[in-house]
């Protein structure tokens, strides 16, 4: 389901070279390794398109591997959402695997390293250990336990595993080099003692592997060839290699390749911070349409295809940068312009009464039906019937009693087009006791059926409308940026300081009857207003996906 690759990138170049040299016998196997401690976000979509897309392009395989090595933060709910989000994006893992399935093998390998004199139990606490690591240009200090004998180390490790010791009282460390210029190699921690329940292994384990100790080994166990991750692991690569070089591996040694994370303006892509928004109740859960999670974007109406196309288009590099969110929105708009049916809805309704509209013999206003194209971009979407009568809803913004300069919509004495129906001229207004406009009166020209005058006279604006007698009540959630600053946290260091307190406005609107049939999740264009997604659960609740104006085009013009 990947879009064809238009350009090459350094990752594909590495794989091509490996294939030419026969490094992995032409085999390409990648993996996507999320920690199930939250929902996937737009940054993960980039990693997914790289991991799955690259494997697919080379006829290889890509597993989903849960990096479930931290029992305190991981849950089955997250596992299930991750599986669903990857499928929604359009990728299918070759296999679904868990690092926790390798706890036994990892432990055996840890004993092996101990037996080789390459790992030791340190009885110091983590603060002391990190204070001893030194810094750039400053060598670390060896632990007093660094030169323990193999037998004592094995005994202590076995007792750590058996749950004999307090949490935090001991760790297992690799014995590498306390003076190494790369801090990651200064005797890194392999195992921590945790007396927590793990969502898969329950109470089986009292010690848990660190990311570094688990990751490369899991790759090797599964037969991964190219282990693609983000740039912050760059300095860990020598450690990744060190472990693999010192173990009796079942097969080839996988290769870690790093690329720059996807960051977006006005967006935070950190599970920890997103989790805080959920926990604080700032948003209504992980799938709140304002969230940059895949489940939030899906509920907001973002098509998976648009997200994939965006991730492909921005390319894969080793340079950190931040993409404009308007660029992603532009992909969304392009996709929806082709796929979304058009409907008429009025979000700030004002009553328009056509005084010369005819009534039938029984005294009730006549109803006329117009055949309207569902999507002018796609004839296959057919047409629908839209009712028109003498009382309509129009947008309050589309009327001005005293029009300001350059206001060409409806005002007393001014003629406008009601889209696809008739030309109407406003005549007067009704006001309530407070002086607010309660209704606008108008006359229509019966000769202009369809919206054009036979004498060719022009009007300056075309407005959408909804027949009052046929309207359904809808609720629309209008969203602004969740973060006001383009780079959240740039000023204070804390992205959550830039939260927009007014990121959602909920309005009650009126819409043409066809909207009552919107399928859960269906995205439609409200004419002149934007794209709106029907909520998957609540009937007649619509989330504004994006507006109609392509701000990305304007940004690009400004940058050119
Ligand atoms: P977070 O900081 O949000 O918790 P993470 O990197 O800890 O992200 P993981 O679940 O460990 O989250 O990530 C799984 C994979 O997704 C990793 O390979 C990681 O490098 C990649 N990834 C995470 N965030 C991004 C991002 N913003 N852009 C590209 N890839 C990402
Ligand atoms: Mg992580």
């Amino acid at each position: 389901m990947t879009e064809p690759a238009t350009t090459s990138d350094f990752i594909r170049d590495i794989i091509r070279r490996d294939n030419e040299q026969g490094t992995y016998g032409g085999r390409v196997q990648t993996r996507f390794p999320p920690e199930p401690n939250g929902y996937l976000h737009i940054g993960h979509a980039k990693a997914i398109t790289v991991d799955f897309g690259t494997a697919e392009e080379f006829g290889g395989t890509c597993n989903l591997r849960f990096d479930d090595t931290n029992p305190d933060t991981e849950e089955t709910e997250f596992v299930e959402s991750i599986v669903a989000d990857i499928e929604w994006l359009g990728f299918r893992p070759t296999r679904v695997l868990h690092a926790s399935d390798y706890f036994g093998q990892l432990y055996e390998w840890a004993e092996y390293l101990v037996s080789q004199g390459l790992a030791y139990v340190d009885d110091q606490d983590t603060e002391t250990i990190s204070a001893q690591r030194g810094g750039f240009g400053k060598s670390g200090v060896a632990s007093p336990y660094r030169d323990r004998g193999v037998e004592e180390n094995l005994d202590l490790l076995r007792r750590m595993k058996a749950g004999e010791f307090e949490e935090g009282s001991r760790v297992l460390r690799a014995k590498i080099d306390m003076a190494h210029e790369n801090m990651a190699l200064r005797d890194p921690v392999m195992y921590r003692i945790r007396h927590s329940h793990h969502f898969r292994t329950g109470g089986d384990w009292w010690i848990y592997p660190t990311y570094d100790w688990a990751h490369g080994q899991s790759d090797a166990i599964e037969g991964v060839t190219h282990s693609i991750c983000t740039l912050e692991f760059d300095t860990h690569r020598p450690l990744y290699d060190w472990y693999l070089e010192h173990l009796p591996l079942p097969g080839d040694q996988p290769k870690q390749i790093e690329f720059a994370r996807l960051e977006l303006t006005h967006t935070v892509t950190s599970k920890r911070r997103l989790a805080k928004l959920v926990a604080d109740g700032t948003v209504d859960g992980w799938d709140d349409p304002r969230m940059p999670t895949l489940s939030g974007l899906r509920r907001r109406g973002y098509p998976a295809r648009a997200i994939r196309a965006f991730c492909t288009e921005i390319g894969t590099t080793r340079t950190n940068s931040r993409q404009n969110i308007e660029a992603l929105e532009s992909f969304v708009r392009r996709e929806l312009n082709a796929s979304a049916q058009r409907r008429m809805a009025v979000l700030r309704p004002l009553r328009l009464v056509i005084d010369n509209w005819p009534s039938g013999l029984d005294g009730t206003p006549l109803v006329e039906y117009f055949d309207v194209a569902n999507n002018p971009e796609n004839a296959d979407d057919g047409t629908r019937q839209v009712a028109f009568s003498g009382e309509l809803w129009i947008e309050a913004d589309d009327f001005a009693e005293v029009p300001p300069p350059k206001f060409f919509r409806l005002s007393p004495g001014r003629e406008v087009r009601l889209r696809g129906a008739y030309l109407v001229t406003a005549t007067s207004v009704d006001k309530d006791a407070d002086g607010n406009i309660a209704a606008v009166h108008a006359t229509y020209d019966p000769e202009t059926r369809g919206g054009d005058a036979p004498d060719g006279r022009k009007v300056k604006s075309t407005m959408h409308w909804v027949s009052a007698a046929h309207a359904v009540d809808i609720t629309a959630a209008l969203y602004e940026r969740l973060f006001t600053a383009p780079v959240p946290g740039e000023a204070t260091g804390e992205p959550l300081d830039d939260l927009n307190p007014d990121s959602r406005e909920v309005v009650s609107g009126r819409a043409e009857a066809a909207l009552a049939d919107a399928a859960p999740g269906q995205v439609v264009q409200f004419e002149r207003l934007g794209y709106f997604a029907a909520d998957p659960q609540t009937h007649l609740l619509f989330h504004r996906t994006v507006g109609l104006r392509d701000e990305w085009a304007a940004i690009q013009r400004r940058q050119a």
Side-chain angles (χ1 to χ4, degrees):
M1 295 226 37
T2 337
E3 280 67 28
T6 47
T7 52
S8 194
D9 57 48
F10 74 98
I11 296 177
R12 295 188 186 113
D13 291 344
I14 292 171
I15 295 177
R16 255 178 232 121
R17 203 175 321 124
D18 281 337
N19 284 351
E20 278 159 25
Q21 296 171 354
T23 313
Y24 297 105
R27 221 164 52 77
V28 176
Q29 181 174 333
T30 62
R31 85 284 166 270
F32 173 64
E35 185 178 354
N37 60 351
Y39 282 60
L40 297 182
H41 53 60
I42 182 74
H44 292 115
K46 174 69 198 172
I48 291 169
T49 54
V50 171
D51 293 333
F52 285 91
T54 308
E56 216 164 85
E57 187 180 325
F58 287 93
T61 56
C62 179
N63 294 327
L64 166 60
R65 177 172 77 238
F66 287 103
D67 183 23
D68 55 348
T69 52
N70 184 0
D72 297 326
T73 55
E74 297 162 1
E75 289 174 33
T76 307
E77 175 197 345
F78 299 137
V79 169
E80 287 165 0
S81 74
I82 289 169
V83 169
D85 286 348
I86 293 171
E87 188 183 353
W88 174 72
L89 257 193
F91 296 101
R92 187 170 315 153
T94 311
R95 297 171 68 194
V96 177
L97 304 164
H98 296 80
S100 56
D101 288 339
Y102 317 135
F103 282 173
Q105 173 69 77
L106 288 172
Y107 180 78
E108 271 180 40
W109 278 340
E111 283 207 359
Y112 172 81
L113 289 184
V114 169
S115 72
Q116 302 291 302
L118 292 173
Y120 61 98
V121 173
D122 193 334
D123 298 358
Q124 305 181 107
D125 57 36
T126 43
E127 290 79 51
T128 312
I129 291 173
S130 56
Q132 288 172 347
R133 282 178 77 222
F136 288 108
K138 182 166 169 278
S139 177
V141 175
S143 162
Y145 303 98
R146 194 169 198 267
D147 292 318
R148 258 178 172 148
V150 168
E151 287 315 312
E152 187 186 0
N153 276 321
L154 271 181
D155 174 60
L156 286 170
L157 177 59
R158 285 173 186 157
R159 287 162 63 194
M160 279 170 66
K161 176 173 181 273
E164 256 185 59
F165 304 126
E166 296 280 299
E167 282 200 12
S169 61
R170 286 183 171 79
V171 293
L172 182 74
R173 298 176 73 177
K175 192 170 177 178
I176 305 180
D177 182 355
M178 285 308 291
H180 204 284
E181 60 173 16
N182 181 340
M183 304 277 288
L185 291 170
R186 294 187 183 177
D187 291 12
V189 173
M190 297 168 61
Y191 275 107
R192 310 149 291 173
I193 302 174
R194 284 271 184 293
H195 292 184
S196 310
H197 180 92
H198 184 282
F199 76 101
R200 290 189 79 242
T201 61
D204 291 354
W205 291 87
W206 302 94
I207 56 172
Y208 289 93
T210 54
Y211 173 91
D212 286 319
W213 172 237
H215 206 88
Q217 287 52 259
S218 303
D219 286 341
I221 291 167
E222 291 170 5
V224 167
T225 56
H226 300 86
S227 181
I228 306 168
C229 64
T230 38
L231 220 46
E232 69 271 23
F233 294 106
D234 180 53
T235 54
H236 293 236
R237 188 175 354 119
L239 178 57
Y240 180 100
D241 291 338
W242 188 92
Y243 283 133
L244 294 172
E245 281 157 12
H246 290 87
L247 292 171
L249 296 184
D252 291 329
Q253 184 174 327
K255 169 180 292 179
Q256 178 181 301
I257 305 170
E258 312 86 18
F259 69 95
R261 294 172 79 88
L262 164 61
E263 306 282 358
L264 281 176
T265 55
H266 300 284
T267 307
V268 163
T269 46
S270 146
K271 268 184 281 175
R272 186 168 60 79
R273 294 206 168 80
L274 297 177
K276 187 157 189 305
L277 296 179
V278 175
D280 291 352
T282 307
V283 296
D284 298 339
W286 288 95
D287 68 345
D288 186 301
R290 290 167 292 182
M291 289 282 271
T293 51
L294 296 183
S295 52
L297 297 174
R298 173 166 68 233
R299 195 148 160 241
R300 176 95 173 240
Y302 276 42
R305 270 173 68 97
I307 295 175
R308 288 203 309 270
F310 170 74
C311 288
T312 305
E313 174 69 22
I314 58 176
T316 309
T317 68
R318 283 182 58 85
T319 313
N320 282 314
S321 67
R322 201 172 272 267
Q323 305 289 329
N324 283 290
I325 189 153
E326 291 86 354
L328 171 59
E329 290 171 341
S330 184
F331 278 86
V332 169
R333 210 174 275 118
R334 202 179 306 168
E335 185 67 34
L336 292 177
N337 181 45
S339 64
Q341 297 206 358
R342 274 53 167 172
R343 296 287 183 265
M344 287 200 283
V346 170
L347 294 185
R348 300 179 207 267
L350 174 63
R351 196 174 280 274
L352 180 73
V353 182
I354 302 178
D355 290 322
N356 62 337
W357 185 255
S359 290
L361 293 174
D362 64 353
T364 58
L366 288 181
V367 178
E368 215 175 313
Y369 288 91
F370 291 100
D371 226 18
V372 180
N374 282 323
N375 184 355
E377 303 286 324
N378 182 7
D380 291 347
D381 274 340
T383 62
R384 71 188 183 286
Q385 299 247 293
V386 183
F388 184 94
S389 192
E391 282 205 19
L392 306 163
W393 294 109
I394 59 168
E395 263 339 306
D397 278 359
D398 281 340
F399 177 78
E401 190 178 14
V402 181
K406 299 199 175 145
F407 183 92
F408 298 118
R409 289 165 278 165
L410 197 61
S411 60
R414 165 99 39 86
E415 186 172 55
V416 300
R417 176 182 298 109
L418 294 181
R419 168 165 289 180
Y422 288 103
L423 300 185
V424 296
T425 306
T427 52
S428 64
V429 297
D430 292 341
K431 292 193 177 170
D432 64 17
D434 299 326
N436 299 316
I437 296 173
V440 175
H441 289 267
T443 56
Y444 87 112
D445 178 352
E447 302 297 313
T448 58
R449 190 175 197 281
D452 288 306
D455 63 5
R457 72 182 185 275
K458 299 275 180 250
V459 292
K460 283 205 166 136
S461 83
T462 299
M463 299 167 15
H464 62 281
W465 49 270
V466 172
S467 165
H470 304 87
V472 291
D473 290 348
I474 61 166
T475 304
L478 310 176
Y479 300 109
E480 300 297 332
R481 307 268 178 242
L482 188 53
F483 297 90
T484 47
V487 182
E490 195 175 34
T492 65
E494 174 46 64
L496 300 187
D497 289 344
D498 288 317
L499 263 177
N500 179 2
D502 300 312
S503 53
R504 177 171 67 187
E505 182 189 4
V506 178
V507 298
S508 301
R510 308 290 162 92
E512 62 169 284
L515 269 181
D517 303 327
Q522 186 184 349
V523 184
V524 295
Q525 184 191 102
F526 289 179
E527 302 238 16
R528 298 175 66 223
L529 298 177
Y531 294 98
F532 286 75
D535 188 78
Q537 275 103 40
T538 307
H539 187 49
L540 295 176
L541 166 62
F542 293 88
H543 305 283
R544 183 167 65 195
T545 313
V546 280
L548 294 177
R549 199 164 37 123
D550 192 345
E551 293 157 320
W552 179 229
I555 290 173
Q556 284 174 309
R557 272 197 302 277
R558 241 176 287 138
Q559 285 172 348

